[in-house]
Amino acid sequence: MPTTKITPPYIIGIAEKPQAANRLAWAIDEKNKPEKVDIKGVSVYLCKRDRKKMIIVPAIGHLFTLSQIGENWLYPALDFRWLPTYKEGKSKRTKKYVEVFQSLRSGTKDIIIMTDYDREGEVIGYLILKYVFEKENAKRMKFSTLTKRDINKAFDAMEESLDIGFLNAGLLRHYVDWLYGINFTTALSSSYKRITGKFKLLSIGRVQGPTLFFIVEREEKINLFVPIPYWKIAAEVKMGGNNFSVLYFKDKIDTLAEAQKISSECSSLEGTITDIKSEEKPIYNQPPFNLSELQRQAYWFFKFSPSKTLKIAEKLYLKGIISYPRTDSQKLPMTLGHKNILSKLSQISRYKNLTEEILDKKRFKPFEGKKTDAAHPAIHPTGLPLDNQSTKDEKNLYDLIVKKYLSVFAGPGKKIEKRVEISVNKHIFYFKGQELIEEGWMRYYKPYVSFEEKNTPDVKLNDKVIFNYIKNEKHFTKPPNRFNESTLLKKMEDEKLGTKATRADIITTLYTREYIEGIEIKPTLLGESIIRVLSKNFPLIITPSMTRDLEEKMDKIQEEKRELKTELMSIQQELTKTLKGFHKKEELIGYELATDLHLMPNNNEQLIVLGKCPVCKKGELIIVKNKKTKKRFIACSAFKDPKIRCKATFPLPQYGNIYPTEEICEYDNLPMIKIKNKRK
């Protein structure tokens, strides 16, 4: 690699990743031959354009992270600062990238932010700008693909300023996620350690909590589910020399007596065709991919986890093969140049015939969905082919994206639905068939869509029909299905939890923390315990509505309808109130967690809560065992709370099992207990 000496002045282009820097430099350089230079083991690219010298320097994602000011493991922690990630012991390889930017600072004449155009990209560029170059603003390129065409278009139309709405919304997300994550994780972990004497990282966050709650809630519904019997009328007829299963007009029969009555009244096994209906219906197209739908279909067809799909899509994007994947949009504007993209795809042998059909029709207006994204269109191919190093997984995902893109240029399919009704002693049975008469968009989306044809027999009204059998069958209602990663992702999207970019990581974190397990997702004992304890004591932490409210605030900030500082102060105030309440119950929460997990120290006794403390009226009366004397007594759970220090204690017999009752003593208003030993 050349050891060219870089002489100032120069313009710095900040790219988000090394591969992106390479493609940006190649497109921007006026001869498409940028010079690669090594600085501290990092490849930077020297370009010339319009007689100006430019150095495009990559980051590797976030080079800065939030860090707590003050003593760790104390809460509420509200003061923070931005530090290089390597100084926090994270991503040590980011150090050389920070140092490269620092080494180029003195000769920098101007700066262009070339990071991905979304909230995260805006934050990544801004933090380098502020904490390395000590600037608050810079020019901004906005692009959705890393093709030469789009990069040059973005360069020529670059804006003079960062997108302040995007930036502030992105910063608020970081602040809020940090504040909730570090404080509730500290609180939960501290309460656990306080009772068990052991440290275990029990993380919980504003998106993580509600997501785990959905999983635990679903598991509880499954466990509490009681199957209810019902009956179906099963029947088979012979028509046109073939056997056909037919359906009874009533899908479910509630009682055995009714089912037996129907089958008895149909015992003649002879019916008459009383109605024949035939109707042509459209098979409507599906909208282009946004990230969530791509993740769901990749899970369905290839069993890719949502996080795996995103990683593969990002690789394809950095190669310039597809557009930016972190998008909510189902729109493909005409400005993307669909004719040009289709012409390029027609050079790839496996897509040649399909693309030429579309090109011949000369109709390039795609079918679109309703969802939009402020920064990017729906996911689509750029027309560039896969390279020889592409993996099988990359080939599969690319094929899915290309086929989806091709399908949106075709019209709806068409089918004929036919319904034949048969009357047996005034009871109606029916047979439904369907025939495909025009593939439409499905032709382009194969093999990811299929149509099951069901032929109907050639019969006429008033024809007699002989049944092979008519009988009743007993069935039972089924519990709800457990989530898998795809359906959980859909649930998070429907509940507006997290963003298209963070949802997959949240699911991965729940697995990593051992809160959930299995392909059909089940909560572990730890996951169930955390939700059970928080539901009882602080339901706000796991409530979806709180997270949705925060997402709406971020949207308002993005639209520049709210002030960042005002919203942050409001969130900090609410958080402080909640954490003060948590602090008061820390001991109790620790006891409940330890008991739930069978981790009570020195014994296997369950934590027994007797009721509200009559002295301080804030804590709970619980049974405690002295660590030294091993004697048990009743104390207030607030006895260690520094702001309460309730000293209420009551003696107990040292032998026998203790059982709480719901009775209150009429003389002193204290809860009554039952003592049971071997004798009585």
Side-chain angles (χ1 to χ4, degrees):
M1 190 179 293
T3 55
T4 304
K5 185 177 180 181
I6 302 174
T7 56
Y10 40 73
I11 298 169
I12 291 289
I14 300 175
E16 191 161 325
K17 292 178 181 175
Q19 200 168 348
N22 185 8
R23 292 197 65 84
L24 285 160
W26 168 77
I28 289 171
D29 185 74
E30 58 193 17
K31 295 182 179 179
N32 302 128
K33 291 182 179 180
E35 184 178 354
K36 185 159 69 170
V37 179
D38 182 277
I39 304 178
K40 299 179 183 292
V42 175
S43 294
V44 304
Y45 299 88
L46 271 64
C47 307
K48 288 184 179 178
R49 187 172 178 125
D50 302 330
R51 298 182 181 180
K52 294 177 182 177
K53 187 189 300 181
M54 189 179 306
I55 307 172
I56 298 181
V57 188
I60 43 171
H62 285 282
L63 300 185
F64 293 85
T65 187
L66 286 168
S67 175
Q68 182 176 343
I69 297 175
E71 192 173 345
N72 290 332
W73 294 102
L74 290 178
Y75 66 94
L78 303 176
D79 298 322
F80 50 78
R81 59 184 172 181
W82 290 99
L83 285 179
T85 53
Y86 69 86
K87 288 189 177 181
E88 284 291 284
K90 305 174 184 176
S91 302
K92 291 183 179 179
R93 65 194 183 115
T94 60
K95 182 178 181 182
K96 61 183 180 181
Y97 289 87
V98 174
E99 289 176 345
V100 168
F101 280 112
Q102 290 171 336
S103 70
L104 296 168
R105 179 174 53 194
S106 60
T108 300
K109 175 185 175 184
D110 205 354
I111 298 170
I112 304 171
I113 303 299
M114 302 177 177
T115 51
D116 294 338
Y117 181 48
D118 60 6
R119 290 175 179 176
E120 286 304 296
E122 214 73 8
V123 171
I124 288 168
Y126 170 77
L127 293 175
I128 295 170
L129 189 68
K130 182 172 183 178
Y131 294 104
V132 174
F133 296 96
E134 298 178 351
K135 294 179 180 291
E136 289 285 341
N137 215 334
K139 294 177 180 177
R140 181 52 155 127
M141 280 177 61
K142 299 177 180 180
F143 47 86
S144 292
T145 73
L146 288 172
T147 61
K148 183 180 177 181
R149 173 184 179 272
D150 276 14
I151 291 169
N152 281 307
K153 189 176 177 182
F155 186 87
D156 292 337
M158 77 172 76
E159 298 187 4
E160 294 297 316
S161 170
L162 293 170
D163 189 311
I164 301 303
F166 259 34
L167 174 61
N168 285 340
L171 288 171
L172 183 64
R173 180 178 297 282
H174 276 274
Y175 297 151
V176 169
D177 286 349
W178 185 87
L179 285 166
Y180 275 81
I182 196 168
N183 280 291
F184 285 119
T185 297
T186 299
L188 206 57
S189 302
S190 297
S191 66
Y192 178 90
K193 184 181 179 183
R194 190 165 176 177
I195 301 302
T196 65
K198 299 176 182 178
F199 174 78
K200 184 174 179 64
L201 184 64
L202 300 179
S203 69
I204 202 77
R206 65 178 189 88
V207 180
Q208 198 182 81
T211 305
L212 181 58
F213 170 76
F214 290 138
I215 296 166
V216 173
E217 181 186 48
R218 177 67 59 90
E219 193 66 21
E220 287 176 351
K221 288 179 180 178
I222 292 170
N223 292 335
L224 295 172
F225 182 80
V226 178
I228 298 172
Y230 66 93
W231 285 260
K232 281 179 171 283
I233 305 300
E236 184 182 84
V237 300
K238 193 160 190 174
M239 293 188 291
N242 294 310
N243 293 327
F244 295 89
S245 294
V246 293
L247 303 170
Y248 186 60
F249 84 98
K250 194 173 181 181
D251 186 47
K252 288 183 179 181
I253 311 298
D254 294 330
T255 66
L256 175 59
E258 185 184 355
Q260 288 174 332
K261 182 175 182 291
I262 293 167
S263 56
S264 174
E265 291 175 353
C266 296
S267 60
S268 66
L269 297 180
E270 183 177 288
T272 304
I273 294 177
T274 53
D275 194 15
I276 300 173
K277 291 178 181 176
S278 183
E279 185 179 2
E280 184 179 300
K281 288 188 175 181
I283 306 171
Y284 291 112
N285 209 330
Q286 299 173 356
F289 280 139
N290 57 19
L291 178 59
S292 297
E293 191 57 34
L294 176 64
Q295 287 171 318
R296 282 196 287 273
Q297 293 210 21
Y299 181 89
W300 180 260
F301 293 115
F302 312 126
K303 298 305 175 190
F304 291 169
S305 68
S307 57
K308 181 177 180 178
T309 297
L310 181 54
K311 286 177 183 176
I312 297 170
E314 285 180 331
K315 286 181 181 178
L316 295 176
Y317 163 70
L318 289 170
K319 291 178 180 181
I321 294 170
I322 67 167
S323 63
Y324 189 63
R326 295 174 186 257
T327 177
D328 282 328
S329 179
Q330 294 176 325
K331 304 288 185 182
L332 290 171
M334 296 299 288
T335 53
L336 295 176
H338 298 302
K339 182 180 179 181
N340 180 52
I341 294 172
L342 290 164
S343 297
K344 289 179 180 178
L345 288 173
S346 70
Q347 304 303 309
I348 303 172
S349 57
R350 69 182 305 179
Y351 306 121
K352 181 178 175 64
N353 292 336
L354 294 174
T355 49
E356 285 184 348
E357 284 180 15
I358 298 169
L359 288 165
D360 287 344
K361 292 177 182 176
K362 298 181 180 179
R363 293 175 60 187
F364 307 119
K365 174 65 177 172
F367 176 82
E368 297 178 311
K370 295 180 180 179
K371 295 181 180 178
T372 60
D373 188 290
H376 298 285
I379 300 169
H380 62 278
T382 63
L384 296 181
L386 290 163
D387 55 37
N388 294 329
Q389 288 75 44
S390 297
T391 65
K392 181 182 176 182
D393 289 344
E394 288 173 349
K395 290 176 182 176
N396 283 336
L397 195 68
Y398 178 70
D399 188 63
L400 183 66
I401 292 168
V402 171
K403 294 284 183 64
K404 169 63 77 172
Y405 177 71
L406 297 179
S407 74
V408 301
F409 293 99
K414 292 180 183 178
K415 64 180 178 179
I416 290 179
E417 284 189 356
K418 197 170 183 179
R419 178 184 171 107
V420 178
E421 288 190 359
I422 308 164
S423 176
V424 182
N425 196 15
K426 297 183 180 180
H427 291 283
I428 302 298
F429 293 82
Y430 66 93
F431 174 82
K432 287 180 74 172
Q434 59 179 8
E435 178 186 350
L436 185 65
I437 56 175
E438 192 174 317
E439 286 185 299
W441 65 273
M442 294 187 291
R443 168 172 165 69
Y444 301 89
Y445 199 43
K446 291 178 179 178
Y448 308 111
V449 65
S450 60
F451 182 88
E452 184 182 356
E453 289 197 303
K454 209 170 182 183
N455 294 323
T456 52
D458 186 16
V459 292
K460 300 188 294 293
L461 281 175
N462 301 318
D463 278 359
K464 297 297 180 184
V465 177
I466 301 300
F467 281 75
N468 294 330
Y469 61 80
I470 297 175
K471 60 183 180 181
N472 56 70
E473 293 179 342
K474 187 176 184 180
H475 296 265
F476 289 91
T477 55
K478 294 181 179 180
N481 293 324
R482 290 190 174 95
F483 290 109
N484 57 40
E485 290 191 56
S486 176
T487 55
L488 182 57
L489 195 76
K490 180 69 166 61
K491 178 70 172 175
M492 293 172 74
E493 185 181 12
D494 291 344
E495 295 288 341
K496 297 182 179 179
L497 295 180
T499 67
K500 67 235 175 209
T502 61
R503 291 175 189 128
D505 288 339
I506 292 295
I507 296 172
T508 301
T509 300
L510 292 175
Y511 277 113
T512 303
R513 293 281 181 259
E514 298 181 342
Y515 292 166
I516 60 175
E517 60 187 6
I519 295 173
E520 289 188 351
I521 301 173
K522 291 178 61 176
T524 61
L525 177 60
L526 178 60
E528 286 183 335
S529 299
I530 286 172
I531 292 301
R532 193 176 297 121
V533 170
L534 292 179
S535 295
K536 180 180 176 182
N537 295 284
F538 288 96
L540 179 68
I541 302 171
I542 57 171
T543 302
S545 59
M546 178 202 71
T547 298
R548 282 197 297 268
D549 290 344
L550 287 170
E551 293 292 341
E552 287 173 6
K553 287 180 180 179
M554 288 177 215
D555 289 340
K556 294 291 185 186
I557 285 175
Q558 182 171 311
E559 295 164 10
E560 299 188 52
K561 294 180 179 178
R562 298 269 181 90
E563 288 284 336
L564 174 62
K565 288 183 179 179
T566 304
E567 289 298 342
L568 183 58
M569 285 179 62
S570 172
I571 289 165
Q572 286 175 318
Q573 289 170 359
E574 290 298 318
L575 186 61
T576 301
K577 289 179 186 176
T578 305
L579 289 167
K580 284 180 178 178
F582 197 107
H583 208 292
K584 292 177 183 178
K585 287 192 171 185
E586 187 181 290
E587 185 95 7
L588 179 62
I589 289 170
Y591 268 112
E592 290 183 358
L593 266 178
T595 303
D596 235 17
L597 297 168
H598 311 294
L599 293 173
M600 289 296 290
N602 305 321
N603 59 67
N604 293 321
E605 291 181 13
Q606 297 286 304
L607 173 69
I608 299 175
V609 180
L610 303 176
K612 277 285 180 190
C613 175
V615 179
C616 69
K617 294 183 171 47
K618 293 181 179 179
E620 304 275 355
L621 292 181
I622 57 175
I623 296 176
V624 180
K625 183 175 282 189
N626 188 292
K627 291 182 180 179
K628 292 182 179 179
T629 65
K630 306 299 180 185
K631 290 186 176 181
R632 61 188 183 184
F633 59 95
I634 295 173
C636 176
S637 64
F639 70 99
K640 287 188 178 180
D641 189 313
K643 293 187 178 180
I644 301 176
R645 297 290 187 193
C646 181
K647 297 181 179 179
T649 58
F650 303 91
L652 281 174
Q654 298 305 305
Y655 301 98
N657 294 325
I658 299 174
Y659 300 92
T661 70
E662 295 183 358
E663 298 178 37
I664 300 294
C665 178
E666 60 181 297
Y667 298 106
D668 54 20
N669 291 323
L670 290 174
M672 297 182 71
I673 59 174
K674 183 192 292 184
I675 307 290
K676 187 176 181 181
N677 56 29
K678 291 181 181 179
R679 296 180 182 177
K680 58 182 179 179

